[in-house]
Amino acid sequence: DPPTTKAAYLIVMSTHDNIVAYKYAWVNDKAYPSCDCNTNLGDQGGCLQGLEYYTLQGEELATSIANLRGFSGNLFDAHPTPSYTLNLIKKSNSVCQNVVNSCISPYVVDTGYTCANLPVDETQVIEYGITDNSAGPVVLWKIMLHNHDYPNKRRVSFGPTEFFFQLKLFFNANRGIKTFSGTRSITEVAQETCNTPDALTMLYDSSKPVSRFIKTMGPLPGNAGKITCGEYCLREQRCVDAFYLYSYCLIYYDIMPCTSTKGGDVVHFKASVANLPTAQPTTAPPSVTSLPN
């Protein structure tokens, strides 16, 4: 979704999902899932050989969305503690153990639980602090020791699942989409480069996970290249900073922004968004002098 969308976000993921991995580890320029994607869906099998791209999942995905709404946490920092818990999965030690045994990876998510001591309310509800009052909430339901199967706890036999009821409660509490209207602009600021994350490191060293969130374009030589760099950031709605250095353009997105700068022979483009005023009626509504009988 574009960054101007203020819809409520509910992310539901399981820690031992072997189809949509809960988390990835970035090791030696490759991403490895928390559970091998041992599925017959397309060519996704055998992900433990390593993927060439890094995918945001779980807490990292929720953080990236919440950052657009004023949340100050970093993608790779500690995440908010759960607000409360839910019981979405029918308790079964044997089923749980099969799920755990089927999650094959050196990078399995450490939930701190085993099937024997897993609480009845196995799902943690993590709410991300939103400071933008016009924005919808961002909530993660983290289902412990569960796979990709549909959450199966029911209030009564053959009735709707608890998952269904909780979804309805969430959607009812967050009806509609709150929209934002604004206009983007680009300003060329003083000669400076990004200090954190360091632009030169991002340009020449792709071994750090953070580098996967910074787009490198080039070479783009000459003044035309500089103009192209600024124009690209203007068009890319999630671009907050662009740095033109050594004929390359580095695009920093809101998901992993440049948090500090330092002096340098580098062109820095800064993106900003201005709110548009609410349109006023062009004419006054007609007055009512009398009501019909």
Side-chain angles (χ1 to χ4, degrees):
D1 289 338
T4 52
T5 297
K6 298 300 183 180
Y9 273 87
L10 174 62
I11 301 166
V12 183
M13 298 196 70
S14 301
T15 60
H16 287 57
D17 194 325
N18 57 6
I19 294 180
V20 180
Y22 186 83
K23 187 176 178 63
Y24 282 85
W26 186 252
V27 181
N28 297 326
D29 289 344
K30 287 192 175 182
Y32 296 89
S34 51
C35 290
D36 189 18
C37 46
N38 48 346
T39 172
N40 294 323
L41 299 178
D43 59 353
Q44 298 180 29
C47 291
L48 289 184
Q49 61 187 339
L51 305 176
E52 299 296 332
Y53 53 88
Y54 189 90
T55 303
L56 295 179
Q57 304 283 37
E59 284 100 336
E60 293 172 1
L61 174 59
T63 299
S64 70
I65 298 170
N67 284 155
L68 302 177
R69 292 134 191 257
F71 180 66
S72 60
N74 186 281
L75 285 178
F76 305 109
D77 287 345
H79 298 277
T81 56
S83 302
Y84 57 97
T85 56
L86 297 170
N87 178 204
L88 304 180
I89 307 299
K90 185 178 179 180
K91 185 73 171 180
S92 171
N93 284 340
S94 60
V95 172
C96 176
Q97 199 59 57
N98 286 336
V99 168
V100 172
N101 293 341
S102 298
C103 183
I104 302 170
S105 173
Y107 310 103
V108 175
V109 174
D110 182 10
T111 65
Y113 296 110
T114 65
C115 293
N117 67 7
L118 182 66
V120 174
D121 293 347
E122 77 298 312
T123 300
Q124 296 182 350
V125 178
I126 303 175
E127 300 174 306
Y128 288 76
I130 304 300
T131 60
D132 183 349
N133 293 329
S134 68
V138 178
V139 180
L140 171 68
W141 290 358
K142 182 179 182 179
I143 309 178
M144 300 293 190
L145 304 187
H146 188 61
N147 57 16
H148 199 72
D149 290 350
Y150 191 86
N152 61 353
K153 174 67 184 301
R154 301 177 188 273
R155 297 186 180 185
V156 295
S157 298
F158 304 106
T161 61
E162 183 65 24
F163 182 56
F164 173 80
F165 283 117
Q166 294 299 331
L167 284 177
K168 290 203 67 175
L169 289 172
F170 180 84
F171 293 138
N172 185 67
N174 297 283
R175 293 183 179 181
I177 297 177
K178 300 175 182 177
T179 58
F180 165 81
S181 61
T183 179
R184 285 175 56 80
S185 61
I186 285 288
T187 304
E188 183 178 334
V189 297
Q191 294 273 299
E192 59 185 13
T193 185
C194 187
N195 185 49
T196 309
D198 181 67
L200 278 178
T201 302
M202 297 302 101
L203 181 59
Y204 293 114
D205 182 6
S206 63
S207 64
K208 300 181 183 301
V210 64
S211 68
R212 311 305 289 184
F213 305 101
I214 298 170
K215 183 179 180 68
T216 301
M217 302 168 55
L220 302 170
N223 189 60
K226 166 189 161 183
I227 295 173
T228 298
C229 183
E231 289 179 343
Y232 185 90
C233 184
L234 178 63
R235 294 193 308 269
E236 188 74 9
Q237 292 200 26
R238 299 188 67 172
C239 173
V240 291
D241 292 282
F243 297 90
Y244 181 72
L245 67 163
Y246 304 122
S247 296
Y248 284 86
C249 179
L250 272 65
I251 302 293
Y252 282 69
Y253 294 95
D254 47 27
I255 194 174
M256 183 61 69
C258 176
T259 57
S260 66
T261 58
K262 61 184 177 182
D265 188 18
V266 176
V267 178
H268 178 194
F269 295 101
K270 185 74 176 176
S272 60
V273 177
N275 293 338
L276 292 178
T278 302
Q280 298 296 320
T282 55
T283 59
S287 59
V288 177
T289 57
S290 63
L291 295 176
N293 296 327

